[in-house]
Amino acid sequence: MATIFTRIANGEIPSYKVAEDEHYYAFLDASPLAKGHTLVIPKHVEDDYIFHLDEKTYEGLWAFARKVAIALKAAVPCKRVGVAVLGMEVPHTHIHLVPLQSEGDLDFRKTRPVVTDEEKKTIAESILREYENL
């Protein structure tokens, strides 16, 4: 059975796409730590543990995430883009890219900001534009 992230990448569930290629997909987190919080996933691998990925998929995922992070930083004002790989909440390998002003911004226990659908749409379009220009 396909994971929710596979269904998102396949277009079965709506998302705010920020980047995509043949093997990987990036979209805004539904419950972001900060505006622009993005998830990066492999499209065709549903393993829930990043270190189970074959080497080619693993390296490709990180290369794709790097490009998305560069686009994210260009589109969303922040000092850095933080990275987290937890993989506990959804059984599908994914990388969190979070715009940071300080290290405390990468605390998954903190109160999440309210981001409207219009803001999500604008942010996703901005990141996608930056991604496409890389």
Side-chain angles (χ1 to χ4, degrees), residues 5-103:
F5 286 173
T6 300
R7 294 180 64 211
I8 288 170
N10 290 340
E12 298 168 25
I13 297 174
S15 69
Y16 292 95
K17 177 176 78 170
V18 302
E20 178 178 24
D21 71 12
E22 180 182 351
H23 302 288
Y24 308 100
Y25 189 80
F27 57 101
L28 295 181
D29 191 299
S31 181
L33 292 177
K35 292 180 181 182
H37 180 168
T38 298
L39 300 177
V40 181
I41 64 167
K43 286 182 175 181
H44 310 293
V45 176
E46 295 184 4
D47 198 305
D48 67 340
Y49 189 51
I50 195 166
F51 298 118
H52 286 170
L53 297 176
D54 65 85
E55 191 170 336
K56 182 178 178 183
T57 303
Y58 177 86
E59 290 174 357
L61 179 64
W62 282 107
F64 181 77
R66 178 183 178 273
K67 190 173 176 182
V68 173
I70 291 167
L72 175 58
K73 186 162 186 327
V76 177
C78 60
K79 291 183 179 176
R80 302 272 171 131
V81 174
V83 178
V85 178
L86 305 171
M88 307 287 270
E89 62 282 350
V90 175
H92 187 126
T93 294
H94 56 287
I95 297 171
H96 294 263
L97 300 176
V98 183
L100 303 176
Q101 299 303 328
S102 71
E103 289 180 6

